[in-house]
Amino acid sequence: MLLYYFLVVTLPLMNERFLAHPLLGFTVEKWLGLACFFFALVDWAIRRHPIAPFASAQTRAFLVFYLLALVSFCTITTHAPASMMLVYTSHLLFLLTTLLLVRTAERLRWTLLAAVGAMAIASLFVIREWLAGSALYGRSFRPGYVLGDANYFTASILVVLPFAFYVFTERRVRWERILCLSAIAVTLWAVMLSASRGGFLGLVAAGIYLIARSRRRTLNLLGVTVLVALALALAPISPLQRFLHPTRGDQQSTQDRLVLWGAGLRMIAAHPAMGIGLDNFKAELPRYAPPGANIDFIAHNTYIEIGASLGLPGLFAFLSILGFTYFSLRRSRRWAREIGAEWIYLTAAGLEAGMVGFGISIVFLSAAFLKMLWFTVFISAVLPPLLAQWQEVETAPAADAEPESAQASVWASADSSSPFWPEATDSAWTWQSGESSVWTIPTGIEEPPA
């Protein structure tokens, strides 16, 4: 599992020198991913443990999306190498690896802590790059090369940042709180230095959503406001400055995006069924851009680029992935709160807010390849099986008339001061899953998990 945790730590580091080094046809990072995949297969073959099911709606939507991309690449793509197809195939292997390995609440805990570490390490790269670049190009230099660019960095950390805030405010384990507070502080400063306007809008959306969903709204509003205000005050450049005082380059960037979005919409209108082909956007752009437009970029809008490349079916599949992931996290959050599964609750609640912010930020950049997005999607798929496992262990003593000490073992690692300690309930939903397993879910949830 240490290899898998290390893989999670590397997910945002797109251009890190060692990880991006080519080795026998693949990068070091891809070899790392393959090693994790084969380790997961061997581990499953030896232990024959249950596999998290592919029945989750977001997993099935991803498989449909992958097949549409594969068909498009094989039948339409003519202008580009297999870059995005290789990326999506890597994501497919990462899905299988995650389903095979993240099969206990403890492994989920360490996986998410590794994601917090990835966020902090990525932020340190951004800060280091700004310190070096600002000495040459001035205080307005925007860092982010190791993470792809400043916009990709902000979008990637958005999915983890709310989770880190939840752990800091809700957990009672000191070292976890210190880790998350440190990661939040360094990340917010790095976000300001990256000065991504779209990412900042996503950050604001995630913050508002987090506060609205929290139990201590006033306290969390104060905490979020203080943290963001400090980051804005200490950073020599920020996205807020770019909003209020745009430079000529900022204004030109806005105009270019409008041209690209218009061209992308015309591509969708001309090829609604199959699109123009995976990876063909830049090559086809001159045919759909206004006369005299001298731009050679990708769409800078994930939704438009996918719709243009894969047609409306591909866009619908991608939107389904985002929607099913959000609603799955929402159901998992409610279920976990009812049965007292604290760590799963924090995971679902944090990633739910992160998905809201990410969905806003990718309006302004093409980010379907970002690994942190798919990390969130795949983690959301393992939460319901973990919750069922948690509930089965919790309810087993009552069903089998075992001594009270058996139930106490379930909470051996729980914090007695936790606000998620379970309460007794007199009624429950019970339904059959497959031929043998029965899930019993306490009332109080609006709907049982899918």
Side-chain angles (χ1 to χ4, degrees):
M1 282 300 294
L2 290 177
L3 201 62
Y4 179 78
Y5 300 145
F6 181 69
L7 176 64
V8 172
V9 169
T10 67
L11 291 179
L13 308 179
M14 296 168 52
N15 296 324
E16 199 280 327
R17 184 179 304 175
F18 172 74
L19 295 172
H21 182 73
L23 181 64
L24 300 177
F26 292 106
T27 63
V28 171
E29 185 178 27
K30 285 186 171 55
W31 282 116
L32 175 62
L34 285 172
C36 289
F37 174 66
F38 287 117
F39 166 75
L41 289 179
V42 172
D43 181 64
W44 174 81
I46 294 175
R47 302 175 185 273
R48 292 290 178 177
H49 52 73
I51 304 175
F54 281 90
S56 64
Q58 61 269 40
T59 301
R60 288 179 292 183
F62 171 76
L63 294 176
V64 171
F65 179 77
Y66 178 83
L67 290 175
L68 289 172
L70 181 61
V71 169
S72 177
F73 174 74
C74 293
T75 60
I76 304 176
T77 299
T78 57
H79 301 292
S83 56
M84 284 303 297
M85 200 64 245
L86 183 60
V87 167
Y88 291 146
T89 301
S90 300
H91 295 332
L92 177 62
L93 296 180
F94 185 49
L95 165 64
L96 297 171
T97 304
T98 301
L99 294 181
L100 286 168
L101 291 181
V102 186
R103 61 178 188 270
T104 67
E106 184 66 11
R107 288 188 174 187
L108 175 71
R109 171 174 173 261
W110 285 107
T111 299
L112 268 296
L113 289 175
V116 173
M119 179 181 73
I121 292 171
S123 300
L124 290 174
F125 270 108
V126 168
I127 293 172
R128 187 188 70 171
E129 190 175 326
W130 181 84
L131 291 174
S134 61
L136 296 175
Y137 305 106
R139 294 159 60 92
S140 61
F141 171 75
R142 296 181 61 203
Y145 169 76
V146 174
L147 293 309
D149 69 13
N151 299 312
Y152 291 138
F153 159 72
T154 308
S156 292
I157 62 90
L158 273 178
V159 297
V160 184
L161 188 57
F163 165 78
F165 185 83
Y166 269 114
V167 173
F168 169 68
T169 57
E170 300 289 356
R171 286 284 285 177
R172 299 294 182 268
V173 181
R174 179 174 298 178
W175 76 266
E176 291 176 353
R177 300 186 71 191
I178 293 174
L179 169 67
C180 289
L181 179 60
S182 303
I184 291 169
V186 71
T187 298
L188 285 177
W189 195 41
V191 167
M192 298 308 150
L193 293 177
S194 66
S196 170
R197 291 174 292 181
F200 185 73
L201 291 178
L203 177 66
V204 171
I208 293 173
Y209 190 88
L210 182 151
I211 293 167
R213 291 289 183 184
S214 63
R215 296 176 300 110
R216 298 186 291 267
R217 292 186 180 89
T218 302
L219 183 61
N220 286 339
L221 174 61
L222 179 61
V224 170
T225 302
V226 169
L227 288 171
V228 174
L230 283 174
L232 286 170
L234 295 175
I237 181 176
S238 73
L240 191 58
Q241 294 176 15
R242 294 185 66 207
F243 273 119
L244 298 177
H245 307 288
T247 64
R248 181 177 299 178
D250 295 334
Q251 295 171 350
Q252 184 62 48
S253 174
T254 301
Q255 293 300 318
D256 289 343
R257 276 176 166 78
L258 294 176
V259 172
L260 291 166
W261 296 354
L265 292 174
R266 285 188 285 274
M267 294 178 191
I268 296 174
H271 304 276
M274 296 289 291
I276 60 172
L278 189 68
D279 274 333
N280 278 355
F281 189 92
K282 289 180 69 174
E284 294 291 323
L285 182 59
R287 297 177 54 191
Y288 296 92
N294 185 22
I295 53 176
D296 182 26
F297 303 125
I298 53 179
H300 283 76
N301 180 303
T302 303
Y303 307 107
I304 290 178
E305 179 140 349
I306 290 177
S309 300
L310 303 180
L312 293 179
L315 177 59
F316 179 76
F318 182 74
L319 292 175
S320 298
I321 295 171
L322 299 185
F324 288 140
T325 299
Y326 169 80
F327 286 110
S328 177
L329 290 169
R330 184 180 180 185
R331 287 194 297 266
S332 296
R333 170 175 58 83
R334 293 173 175 175
W335 187 1
R337 182 180 57 199
E338 289 294 329
I339 67 176
E342 177 186 11
W343 196 264
I344 302 178
Y345 172 89
L346 295 174
T347 299
L351 296 184
E352 181 185 340
M355 283 298 294
V356 172
F358 186 87
I360 297 295
S361 68
I362 61 176
V363 172
F364 307 97
L365 71 159
S366 299
F369 64 91
L370 288 181
K371 301 180 184 70
M372 294 306 294
L373 163 64
W374 302 107
F375 170 79
T376 304
V377 173
F378 303 154
I379 287 295
S380 73
V382 306
L383 296 186
L386 291 180
L387 285 165
Q389 180 187 100
W390 183 289
Q391 173 125 9
E392 183 180 354
V393 175
E394 178 198 349
T395 57
D400 300 335
E402 292 181 2
E404 185 177 351
S405 59
Q407 185 175 10
S409 65
V410 177
W411 301 97
S413 61
D415 183 357
S416 60
S417 64
S418 168
F420 303 102
W421 196 265
E423 298 179 356
T425 181
D426 297 328
S427 57
W429 280 310
T430 302
W431 71 93
Q432 193 78 14
S433 177
E435 297 181 357
S436 59
S437 62
V438 176
W439 291 1
T440 303
I441 309 303
T443 55
I445 312 176
E446 291 186 5
E447 54 181 327

